[in-house]
Amino acid sequence: MSYQLDDIRESSERVVESMALAPSLDQAWQTVIEMGWLLASLPEEKGGLDLGLEGTLFIQRLLASKLVGAPYLAVSAALVALRQVQVCDDLVDCVVAGQQWAVAPLADTNLSVKEHAAGGFVIDGDINGVCLSGGDEQLLCWSNDLQHLLLVSLNKRGVSIASQPYWDETRQFSSVYFRQCVIDKAEVLLKGEQAQSIIDQVRCVVDAGIAVDSLGAAKTLMEDTLAYLGDRKQFGRPIALFQALKHRCADLWANFSAAEAFITSQGEQLMRDSSAAQAALFLSNSAFVDIAEESLQMHGGIAMAVEHPCHLFLKRAQLNQHLGRSGVDYQRDIFPLDKSL
Amino acid sequence: MDFGWTEKQEALRTNVKSFLKDVLPSNWEEIASLSPGSRAVTDFSREFCPKLDAAGLLMPHWPVEYGGNGDSPWDHFIIGEHLWEIGEPRGPQYYNVNWIGPTIMKYGTDEQKQYHLARMKKGDVIWCQGFSEPSGGSDLAAMRTKAELQGDKFIVNGSKIWTSYAGLAEYCFLVAKTGPGRRQVTVFMVPMDRPGFTVNRINSVVGDGDLHEVFIDDLEIKTSEVLGEVDKGWDVIKYSLNYERVGIPRYALALETLHNTVAELQERNQFGDAAKLAAAEAFATCEAARMLAYEAVDERSKGAPTSGVASMARNSIVRAEKRVAEFVLDWAPDLFASSESPMIATHHKRAIAAGLAAGAAEIQLNLIARDVLGLGVK
């Protein structure tokens, strides 16, 4: 049976709509598993819905609309690689069932991989932006030269993990440090061009996922801000009637819509075209940060109160700017040297 | 929505590029660096547009009965991208095919359609738009120019300002008040050589022919020159503005300018990391504006009701143009001033006008706030 996004759209939206803002990680993750959302991008022969990148991005955007912190994107990005490596078939089944934990990092990585004299490999480096469960888990990572794709168990010598208390409290990330860590040959899933091709895809999915995370959260905040402007009265009338605020909102929304139009237009290309994924990340993150900063300002003093959710959006927006390949080294490559028209 | 180009559309792009290569003179960039309303560009447009029509590229999106080919609005937009990218050799005649012609098709009488659309197809008629006034620019309904029906003709008095192309135009798409109601207006199509018009040029940063003031004294207009119904001109205006708003793919020249500036920086070995980052951001901004403009064209091609996308696209295009202009000024300011790169300066001048041409960008913000966000709607 072939599925379309519309087959899961309404039920998924209904479930997320019933969630509280920034729900607990455990609760949200349970929902992700029960709803089968991890199956969205898996091909039908692997028991998935075959909705491609569009399916993954739809769910991630939906979850972001409630500032969900569950590692849906980290696991989905890992699945992009695992589903293409035959030896991982059983693992894929376990991951989508929530029985095992395999994640891709959501931030830039720094990892060297060298062959070990006694067989296997030695890895050294730091991986940030890792969502962990605290149990027996595996990390999908890669060497700096993109020639080795690894799936490493974190429960071994030479690995240390530090939970990172980030400014954004809607998500939990850890840093994983490898120091002269010896891994088996079996933990190197792919090498050479094959590895690079899949690593590129995973990184594109992370970029695009963060981009739609920004869109999803930004839309919720914008709607909240618009409702507030309609309710809040000053000088005897709703502040929504003040042109200074109307223009700011219109400008923010046009910028948001342009980012959204760009992402929609790219479709599955976002998984194959690094520059497009980077452009999506830049456009969406910029739009989200602008909306978050301006929303806080337009809410006035109430937004400074911790009880008000405005700060949660701002912090998420600011952290998103540092996730994916968000460094300037990558953004520079957005500009194509060939012409677009 | 799928924005992939069809084979036919790809072939159209190739065809337009090839046509331009064959037809444009070697000094075209110098000509284009003048305003689209300048004598040189206007004269050139009268040679160029008939050739464009002969190649089936002037108005392919018009219905066959009006001299077009019944093609999709996408075809027209694709052609517009390539023409704007190289400086708009149609000169002021892009008005005709973009919005005046379609508005006449919607509201004109059979005689009006037969006469005016045929002249537009010949590619040698220039129109101007008599909308803005000293007392009513963005607030169009505040216009004071009045048309009073006396017997079988209207007598019009008032003035218009910021009127592009008026100095060389044969016709004016003129709007005037015909009653006391704020929106009780009527649209007329009037020859500019008729006694009663006085046109003065206003020097503009965009170049000669860009701006004018038009004084109207006891101008006589026949009832047969009314477009649509008397007093119902507001509907005609709204219809025409919807076409005008995303009529020009202005991002095309911005992208071309960005590419040319980067090429120059590379040749000079000055395209370092910081410049690359700035170029990347400008490029992404242009691409996002392009995609939003495509959404507006998509709506139009499907005959969908207007949703505010056109206003948002216009806003994004202005942002993109300005970002590219800033990139050039930051990284290669000499190109902006150099006579060796006339199109860079041309883009810069047009980018300055981007937020005002076809109506102030703030009006688009009002429309987005009201129609898309529901702000200030009681």
Side-chain angles (χ1 to χ4, degrees):
Chain A
M1 178 183 175
S2 138
Y3 289 92
Q4 302 291 321
L5 188 54
D6 282 342
D7 295 328
I8 63 163
R9 187 187 300 277
E10 202 182 319
S11 59
S12 304
E13 285 174 347
R14 208 168 38 239
V15 168
V16 172
E17 184 56 39
S18 67
M19 285 182 176
L21 194 69
S24 77
L25 192 150
D26 288 347
Q27 190 187 4
W29 189 238
Q30 195 57 39
T31 305
V32 168
I33 301 294
E34 284 172 5
M35 290 298 293
W37 285 334
L38 286 169
L39 296 167
S41 64
L42 284 182
E44 279 184 49
E45 64 266 23
K46 306 243 180 206
L49 303 178
D50 210 5
L51 298 175
L53 181 63
E54 187 186 23
T56 301
L57 298 186
F58 167 74
I59 298 294
Q60 179 58 32
R61 180 173 171 162
L62 205 54
L63 293 171
S65 71
K66 286 296 180 90
L67 300 182
V68 170
Y72 174 76
L73 178 60
V75 176
S76 294
L79 286 172
V80 166
L82 301 182
R83 76 186 187 213
Q84 297 183 66
V85 181
Q86 206 168 7
V87 294
C88 296
D89 279 357
D90 291 343
L91 176 62
V92 168
D93 291 342
C94 292
V95 170
V96 297
Q99 294 159 355
Q100 281 199 48
W101 196 268
V103 293
L106 299 187
D108 209 359
T109 63
N110 176 24
L111 193 70
S112 74
V113 178
K114 289 178 186 159
E115 292 203 21
H116 191 244
F121 293 85
V122 180
I123 58 175
D124 266 293
D126 304 340
I127 313 280
N128 297 314
V130 181
C131 309
L132 296 175
S133 68
D136 181 17
E137 42 220 338
Q138 299 184 78
L139 175 64
L140 185 86
C141 51
W142 43 84
S143 55
N144 289 337
D145 62 4
L146 309 181
Q147 294 299 299
H148 297 84
L149 177 66
L150 319 175
L151 183 66
V152 183
S153 168
L154 299 180
N155 188 16
K156 61 167 64 186
R157 271 184 77 178
V159 180
S160 60
I161 300 170
S163 173
Q164 296 288 356
Y166 279 103
W167 167 247
D168 170 23
E169 50 205 86
T170 64
R171 289 171 289 187
Q172 292 171 18
F173 289 110
S174 297
S175 291
V176 177
Y177 306 108
F178 295 103
R179 297 291 180 263
Q180 291 292 300
C181 175
V182 179
I183 60 170
D184 296 336
K185 276 185 179 172
E187 289 177 282
V188 177
L189 298 180
L190 292 169
K191 287 200 278 189
E193 280 181 17
Q194 268 190 315
Q196 179 157 3
S197 165
I198 291 183
I199 294 164
D200 284 342
Q201 289 176 30
V202 172
R203 301 210 300 177
C204 282
V205 169
V206 171
D207 288 348
I210 299 297
V212 298
D213 186 279
S214 285
L215 292 183
K219 186 163 187 279
T220 299
L221 178 58
M222 193 74 197
E223 286 167 354
D224 175 71
T225 302
L226 295 171
Y228 180 76
L229 296 181
D231 290 342
R232 174 72 171 162
K233 287 185 179 167
Q234 291 286 275
F235 305 102
R237 57 185 181 142
I239 59 176
L241 295 176
F242 291 98
Q243 195 174 54
L245 301 187
K246 282 202 277 191
H247 280 194
R248 272 155 86 174
C249 289
D251 207 31
L252 291 169
W253 195 246
N255 200 27
F256 170 94
S257 301
E260 190 178 41
F262 179 81
I263 289 175
T264 305
S265 71
Q266 298 302 306
E268 297 291 313
Q269 184 72 8
L270 286 172
M271 198 158 96
R272 294 186 292 272
D273 182 344
S274 215
S275 297
Q278 280 289 297
L281 191 62
F282 162 71
L283 291 164
S284 306
N285 284 350
S286 306
F288 186 21
V289 163
D290 287 349
I291 286 174
E293 289 176 348
E294 290 288 345
S295 288
L296 193 139
Q297 177 68 21
M298 287 188 278
H299 272 85
I302 187 73
M304 301 303 292
V306 172
E307 289 84 354
H308 196 280
C310 229
H311 70 104
L312 297 177
F313 288 93
L314 178 64
K315 290 168 182 173
R316 191 162 175 128
Q318 290 176 336
L319 182 57
N320 274 6
Q321 288 195 304
H322 298 279
L323 296 179
R325 285 172 292 176
S326 49
V328 293
D329 287 347
Y330 299 115
Q331 272 183 23
R332 287 186 201 110
D333 295 333
I334 294 172
F335 186 82
L337 296 175
D338 58 328
K339 298 205 171 183
S340 63
L341 288 181
Chain B
M1 209 163 6
D2 179 7
F3 281 136
W5 301 116
T6 64
E7 272 182 36
K8 183 170 170 267
Q9 287 167 333
E10 292 286 9
L12 176 63
R13 285 195 184 281
T14 306
N15 185 18
V16 178
K17 285 183 202 170
S18 160
F19 171 83
L20 291 173
K21 201 173 163 190
D22 292 345
V23 167
L24 291 180
S26 57
N27 65 338
W28 163 247
E29 288 199 352
E30 285 167 42
I31 297 172
S33 68
L34 305 167
S35 158
S38 63
R39 167 70 73 183
V41 175
T42 302
D43 287 351
F44 181 80
S45 83
R46 293 184 201 272
E47 293 172 25
F48 177 82
C49 286
K51 292 177 187 169
L52 196 62
D53 183 49
L57 300 173
L58 182 60
M59 44 190 58
H61 61 306
W62 282 19
V64 174
E65 60 186 300
Y66 302 129
N69 202 26
D71 290 337
S72 150
W74 280 108
D75 289 21
H76 175 59
F77 206 71
I78 288 169
I79 294 166
E81 280 184 338
H82 290 290
L83 296 178
W84 189 259
E85 182 184 43
I86 50 109
E88 189 49 276
R90 290 174 301 187
Q93 293 192 62
Y94 73 85
Y95 264 19
N96 305 359
V97 290
N98 280 11
W99 64 270
I100 299 179
T103 308
I104 293 173
M105 284 175 215
K106 167 86 174 168
Y107 291 99
T109 62
D110 287 344
E111 291 74 19
Q112 286 171 337
K113 288 177 193 170
Q114 197 171 13
Y115 179 74
H116 288 296
L117 299 179
R119 284 214 57 184
M120 288 176 186
K121 183 172 166 56
K122 280 178 70 180
D124 70 347
V125 63
I126 309 297
W127 283 69
C128 63
Q129 179 198 60
F131 281 12
S132 294
E133 296 189 6
S135 61
S138 294
D139 181 12
L140 188 56
M143 74 181 77
R144 290 181 180 170
T145 296
K146 279 186 184 162
E148 290 181 79
L149 187 60
Q150 295 182 7
D152 60 352
K153 60 193 171 195
F154 286 90
I155 305 296
V156 185
N157 283 283
S159 67
K160 299 287 173 181
I161 197 164
W162 319 129
T163 317
S164 298
Y165 321 133
L168 299 171
E170 278 93 19
Y171 281 90
C172 183
F173 194 90
L174 179 70
V175 59
K177 294 209 81 145
T178 41
R182 187 170 149 77
R183 292 183 177 177
Q184 210 170 343
V185 299
T186 301
V187 174
F188 304 95
M189 300 186 290
V190 199
M192 286 296 289
D193 60 359
R194 185 166 295 171
F197 277 126
T198 305
V199 178
N200 296 328
R201 195 171 75 186
I202 299 173
N203 291 332
S204 154
V205 291
V206 176
D208 288 350
D210 182 48
L211 299 176
H212 303 83
E213 55 182 356
V214 179
F215 295 101
I216 305 168
D217 299 295
D218 291 331
L219 173 71
E220 295 185 7
I221 301 181
K222 297 175 228 169
T223 51
S224 62
E225 291 167 331
V226 170
L227 180 62
E229 291 180 49
V230 173
D231 292 343
K232 300 272 178 68
W234 198 255
D235 293 337
V236 181
I237 291 168
K238 278 201 299 185
Y239 185 82
S240 72
L241 288 179
N242 267 330
Y243 275 89
E244 189 189 18
R245 210 156 279 149
V246 188
I248 305 178
R250 303 180 71 102
Y251 53 79
L253 181 56
L255 280 166
E256 176 74 2
T257 302
L258 184 59
H259 278 288
N260 289 338
T261 306
V262 167
E264 181 64 27
L265 288 172
Q266 283 177 312
E267 201 170 306
R268 296 175 184 179
N269 263 336
Q270 291 175 353
F271 195 47
D273 286 348
K276 276 185 189 168
L277 183 62
E281 291 179 355
F283 176 74
T285 308
C286 286
E287 285 295 273
R290 182 162 75 100
M291 293 309 148
L292 202 47
Y294 286 174
E295 283 196 5
V297 177
D298 189 53
E299 272 189 357
R300 189 179 298 165
S301 69
K302 290 172 179 163
T306 53
S307 67
V309 170
S311 295
M312 292 196 289
R314 170 97 203 288
N315 176 286
S316 299
I317 290 171
V318 171
R319 189 194 306 267
E321 280 195 270
K322 290 192 184 299
R323 191 133 196 178
V324 170
E326 284 163 10
F327 174 78
V328 178
L329 276 177
D330 286 347
W331 293 98
D334 56 308
L335 291 181
F336 159 64
S338 168
S339 58
E340 288 178 13
S341 46
M343 290 311 290
I344 303 252
T346 298
H347 171 262
H348 194 84
K349 286 187 285 186
R350 293 184 187 179
I352 290 171
L356 292 168
E362 284 71 16
I363 295 303
Q364 307 311 314
L365 294 178
N366 281 346
L367 295 174
I368 297 165
R370 187 192 68 191
D371 300 340
V372 181
L373 303 179
L375 284 176
V377 179
K378 291 176 183 174

